[in-house]
Amino acid sequence: MVLQASRLADVRYDIRGPVLRRARTLEAEGHEILKLNLGNPAPFGMVAPEAVLDHVAASIRASQGYSDARGIAPAREAVARYYQRTGVENVTPDDVFLGNGVSELIVMALQALLNPGDEVLVPSPDYPLWTGAVTLCGGRAVHYRCAGELDWNPDVEHVAAQVSDKTRAIVIINPNNPTGAVYSKDTLEGLLDVARRNDLLVLTDEIYDQILYDGATHYCAAALAPDLPVLTLGGMSKSYRLAGFRSGWLAVSGPREPIAEYLDGLELLANMRLCPNVPAQHAIPAALDGGIDISHLLRPGGRLRDQRDRGWQLLTEIPGVDCYKPAGALYLFPRLDPEVHKIVDDQRMVIDLLEQQHLLLSHGTGFNLPSADHLRVVFLASVEVLEDAIGRLAAFLADYKQ
Ligand code: PLP
């Protein structure tokens, strides 16, 4: 008998768990499932800029060896320039670690940091890899409240109240998955102040920093807090539609001395995995230095903008459903009014929806939301597909009871 490691016992990643397994079974039985559960642009025909792909193809022969453990120099230079343009002081190529997606870097950043029982402040709802990775690394995710009535901004007073003598770091996800919130400058300054007062490492996941609607402004946390050690994460998966390349970065800013030992640990972990996938790293300078503009997707008439608008309109027309209109990212996070839709177990609801309507969505508690009254809908699909999907959801909710 081979048992799994006990350190996995409390690691939860429900958005890819039982619901996905059920979807696979239905597909194996020959059913076609409409999947709006994953922020994966390519299957929806949202492909990468040609110039980026051409540069990667042209670099393939030069990509056969291991690279520097932190990644190839041209890509680290491009990331450093990207943050310098954004107003982050003192980021040099040596402060940039490339990884096989932001996902790998999230785990590395936490592995290098946490001792058993250490606490990390994580938003609720969150992109659940953050909570899962904290747990995997022996820490405890302490969730802070992001509130629908604050346009899903974090409730800074609640954040401050969660700090204990075991708190080591704060995670910020902005623009946010799953809510689509883009945090105000005030909110960010409030979060950074909590970090400042309590000596917390700031881990800020800004993978959607360019995917903004209606003139929303994204403030880069590191630019607002040059006095704090900040790790900023970003990558190629979303803005440049290259999720399959597994290509992301982590940029260190702020004073290095207080985190010098930590950075040695991060470097050790980077060395242990030898290097990230080399061909995919070549996409980074081509995208960041190449003047690639994604505004055609975001302005009125652009695919993402139109899909967001139509998805939001249709969801909010369903009786007993309301929804914040996302200012960024790729997700709608509708709320099912508990007076109308009495849901006790939202994972069960999503499985029932899958079985009855062959539509795959994600349930709110899968994002570490405490209440079972939200769903996440990915709006990468065309307007026609979204109309079909949300029609199915409306039909399902019309007579669904638990
Ligand atoms: N961070 C957030 C907030 C995400 O939504 C995602 C993917 O959906 C990731 C990180 C993972 O990114 P990557 O594809 O670079 O691993």
Side-chain angles (χ1 to χ4, degrees):
M1 197 157 58
V2 180
L3 300 177
Q4 71 176 24
S6 55
R7 83 174 77 82
L8 293 182
D10 297 321
V11 178
R12 303 283 303 276
Y13 200 56
D14 289 349
I15 57 164
R16 306 278 280 159
V19 185
L20 195 62
R21 277 200 291 280
R22 186 71 193 115
R24 285 206 188 110
T25 311
L26 287 169
E27 279 182 325
E29 289 167 7
H31 299 289
E32 198 175 318
I33 306 296
L34 174 47
K35 294 186 198 140
L36 300 183
N37 67 318
L38 211 56
N40 189 15
F44 297 101
M46 304 205 67
V47 293
E50 279 295 312
V52 176
L53 295 175
D54 286 348
H55 183 73
V56 173
S59 308
I60 204 80
R61 288 181 195 285
S63 301
Q64 297 173 65
Y66 295 127
S67 69
D68 181 291
R70 283 168 305 173
I72 59 171
R76 287 187 291 117
E77 285 159 11
V79 173
R81 277 193 292 275
Y82 181 70
Y83 287 113
Q84 283 155 13
R85 287 196 296 275
T86 313
V88 184
E89 291 169 17
N90 287 333
V91 179
T92 73
D94 286 346
D95 303 314
V96 176
F97 292 78
L98 305 185
N100 296 305
V102 167
S103 305
E104 180 187 48
L105 294 162
I106 289 174
V107 177
M108 276 170 53
L110 293 167
Q111 256 178 344
L113 180 71
L114 297 176
N115 287 314
D118 282 350
E119 295 178 358
V120 179
L121 303 178
V122 178
S124 163
D126 74 335
Y127 176 62
L129 177 59
W130 278 105
T131 295
V134 168
T135 313
L136 178 65
C137 297
R140 193 166 87 83
V142 176
H143 290 111
Y144 63 81
R145 197 171 85 93
C146 299
E149 62 275 16
L150 300 174
D151 287 348
W152 288 115
N153 275 245
D155 172 347
V156 175
E157 269 180 38
H158 187 257
V159 179
Q162 303 311 302
V163 176
S164 80
D165 56 3
K166 298 203 180 92
T167 313
R168 303 285 312 283
I170 180 166
V171 173
I172 298 171
I173 306 174
N174 177 41
N176 191 270
N177 176 8
T179 63
V182 178
Y183 296 168
S184 71
K185 195 173 177 203
D186 272 0
T187 300
L188 274 172
E189 282 175 340
L191 295 177
L192 293 165
D193 209 43
V194 173
R196 186 174 289 116
R197 282 187 275 119
N198 297 286
D199 208 10
L200 308 181
L201 181 64
V202 178
L203 301 164
T204 177
D205 180 343
E206 301 184 6
I207 193 166
Y208 300 101
D209 62 352
Q210 293 186 48
I211 305 183
L212 304 167
Y213 309 99
D214 308 326
T217 303
H218 175 259
Y219 295 97
C220 175
L224 295 179
D227 60 317
L228 295 182
V230 178
L231 310 187
T232 306
L233 296 116
M236 303 304 293
S237 294
K238 314 294 178 176
S239 302
Y240 301 102
R241 287 94 74 197
L242 279 170
F245 274 34
R246 313 309 302 122
S247 187
W249 59 78
L250 178 160
V252 182
S253 61
R256 307 299 194 278
E257 201 200 318
I259 60 166
E261 194 198 87
Y262 168 73
L263 292 176
D264 286 348
L266 200 56
E267 185 134 9
L268 172 72
L269 293 177
N271 284 328
M272 284 172 74
R273 50 113 215 221
L274 297 177
C275 70
N277 177 357
V278 178
Q281 297 179 47
H282 287 284
I284 294 173
L288 299 188
D289 286 339
I292 306 263
D293 178 20
I294 67 161
S295 60
H296 62 286
L297 297 170
L298 307 170
R299 66 170 84 102
R303 255 197 82 171
L304 286 175
R305 166 74 185 262
D306 283 1
Q307 289 161 194
R308 178 204 66 155
D309 287 354
R310 186 73 178 131
W312 179 81
Q313 182 199 4
L314 292 170
L315 283 170
T316 53
E317 283 171 12
I318 302 174
V321 175
D322 55 83
C323 188
Y324 163 73
K325 197 172 198 177
L330 308 171
Y331 313 99
L332 289 149
F333 199 54
R335 169 179 170 271
L336 311 185
D337 181 349
E339 298 290 317
V340 182
H341 305 285
K342 297 190 170 39
I343 310 300
V344 187
D345 178 345
D346 60 351
Q347 178 163 287
R348 182 70 248 159
M349 172 180 60
V350 165
I351 292 176
D352 290 338
L353 172 67
L354 178 63
E355 286 174 350
Q356 292 177 28
Q357 295 287 341
H358 296 162
L359 170 64
L360 180 54
L361 301 181
S362 309
H363 54 294
T365 59
F367 302 94
N368 298 297
L369 191 74
S371 56
D373 54 358
H374 282 76
L375 285 168
R376 191 191 69 172
V377 181
V378 172
F379 62 77
L380 281 164
S382 68
V383 162
E384 296 69 40
V385 173
L386 286 171
E387 287 170 348
D388 174 14
I390 297 171
R392 294 190 207 188
L393 176 64
F396 169 80
L397 288 175
D399 57 10
Y400 182 66
K401 299 234 169 1
Q402 275 192 347

